[in-house]
Amino acid sequence: MTPFEPPGDRQIFTQSFTPVDADIDVNGHVNNVVYLRWMQDIAISHWVSRAPAEEQAKWAWVALRHEIDYRRALLPGEEALARTWVGTRRGPRFDRFVRIDGPDGEMCSQTRSEWVLIDAVTRRPARVPDWMETMFA
């Protein structure tokens, strides 16, 4: 597995996560499901930080698919740094990439997810507008 690195033409959004006791599994490290929750949290935070409130009221994102690779266990007390960016839009879809690194800079997990834009009222897919792609570029 080759670690994801963001392309130079994409905006990168970062967020830190520190596991709490409930995030640690019987193996003594962050549970795999927690990485997925963090991936969703950073995706939502990225959207909320960039999109104007009036646009957030019009649109929603729904995850269609997640592919996640695990490489290094994140241990109790270790702060993780997550980075996310989006790929190229395809109609109503964007691929989103998230890489979570430990405090040593080593990759703990990486995720490629497919998200679809939906109209908040009709709940139907909608083509990603040009301004959204520009907002994430």
Side-chain angles (χ1 to χ4, degrees):
M1 132 189 51
T2 302
F4 294 153
E5 289 293 341
D9 66 341
R10 290 291 162 179
Q11 172 203 108
I12 303 161
F13 183 79
T14 62
Q15 189 170 348
S16 294
F17 296 96
T18 302
V20 297
D21 289 345
D23 295 335
I24 306 303
D25 64 18
V26 297
N27 296 314
H29 56 72
V30 172
N31 187 281
N32 293 355
V33 174
V34 174
Y35 287 107
L36 188 58
R37 185 182 79 227
W38 289 347
M39 183 278 309
Q40 288 187 166
D41 289 349
I42 193 173
I44 292 165
S45 293
H46 189 196
W47 165 248
V48 168
S49 75
R50 298 296 188 259
E54 63 273 8
E55 295 297 338
Q56 291 178 43
K58 294 178 190 176
W59 307 104
W61 292 94
V62 176
L64 297 178
R65 177 185 171 100
H66 301 299
E67 294 175 16
I68 189 163
D69 298 314
Y70 301 100
R71 180 178 250 175
R72 170 203 174 299
L74 189 66
L75 302 173
E78 290 188 317
E79 184 177 58
L81 177 66
R83 295 180 292 157
T84 189
W85 61 94
V86 297
T88 305
R89 70 178 167 171
R90 296 178 324 279
R93 299 174 185 198
F94 259 127
D95 282 339
R96 175 171 289 280
F97 300 88
V98 176
R99 178 173 160 172
I100 299 175
D101 295 336
D104 57 1
E106 290 294 315
M107 185 186 79
C108 295
S109 74
Q110 64 182 17
T111 308
R112 181 188 152 282
S113 294
E114 187 173 0
W115 293 74
V116 65
L117 180 68
I118 62 171
D119 181 291
V121 174
T122 66
R123 310 307 278 176
R124 298 189 48 86
R127 183 172 291 279
V128 175
D130 291 342
W131 70 265
M132 278 189 200
E133 184 169 33
T134 301
M135 177 182 72
F136 286 124

